[in-house]
Amino acid sequence: MAATGIPEEYSIQAEGMTIAVVYTRWNEKVVELLRAGARDEARELGVKIEEYAVAGALELPVVVQACAKRYDAVVALGCVIRGETAHFQYVCDSVTEGLTRVGLDEETPVGNGVLTVEEEDQAYERAGGEDAKEDKGAEALRAAAGAAAELRKVRALPLKG
């Protein structure tokens, strides 16, 4: 979610859900802040989380897909910082496309909390923690839980025809 235009607080009926949080080991200090934000938001919503670690961002989609078959929603957390080569763009595009595909293919909400930033300072500004402008870990968890709650309503309806 973008910092501008962010919705006001709204109610989510997510109690009793179980959400998988899949996180990367790269940029560990930033990712730890994202995880803390996701944990705090889960506690606030009455959601149980189970966490899984992968090496880097490119490994996220496959583990997220396995989790999407077993949980109400999944949250992917990581941080990719631009380097001196085109690798940054390939990683960011692949991860975003992979996570989007998983959500659609599995019909399970996937909260994308993978930061894609120019420099480490930008990551800390988005990762939550003291004096941060945003908390993308909490936002990703909230977005996934909210979508899962709406899917519960839709799935309770009879199929047309």
Side-chain angles (χ1 to χ4, degrees):
M1 286 188 218
T4 58
I6 192 167
E8 296 291 325
E9 283 293 315
Y10 54 95
S11 176
I12 297 174
Q13 302 303 313
E15 295 84 9
M17 284 186 190
T18 304
I19 296 178
V21 174
V22 184
Y23 66 92
T24 65
R25 290 187 173 101
W26 274 87
N27 298 307
E28 183 179 22
K29 290 179 183 177
V30 172
V31 174
E32 281 303 311
L33 290 171
L34 293 168
R35 289 175 65 200
R39 283 189 210 111
D40 290 347
E41 189 67 23
R43 215 174 358 264
E44 184 92 12
L45 294 173
V47 169
K48 179 183 177 201
I49 62 170
E50 295 182 8
E51 296 183 84
Y52 302 90
V54 297
L58 287 174
E59 290 75 37
L60 284 168
V62 69
V63 177
V64 166
Q65 185 165 30
C67 290
K69 297 173 190 295
R70 294 162 176 85
Y71 292 90
D72 295 300
V74 187
V75 174
L77 301 176
C79 178
V80 183
I81 301 172
R82 185 181 298 277
E84 297 177 8
T85 68
H87 183 69
F88 171 85
Q89 198 62 49
Y90 300 134
V91 170
C92 295
D93 289 348
S94 294
V95 171
T96 301
E97 290 172 17
L99 295 176
T100 300
R101 193 181 104 205
V102 168
L104 294 171
D105 289 354
E106 301 302 330
E107 296 184 8
T108 302
V110 176
N112 185 344
V114 179
L115 303 179
T116 54
V117 297
E118 297 293 322
E119 56 192 31
E120 196 171 15
D121 287 344
Q122 287 179 334
Y124 283 108
E125 285 297 319
R126 289 160 179 77
E130 195 172 327
D131 298 325
K133 294 178 185 174
E134 301 174 75
D135 185 344
K136 294 299 185 183
E139 288 178 25
L141 190 293
R142 186 170 184 77
E150 294 304 306
L151 276 174
R152 278 185 176 174
K153 291 182 207 175
V154 171
R155 290 177 177 150
L157 298 171
L159 293 175
K160 68 177 187 175

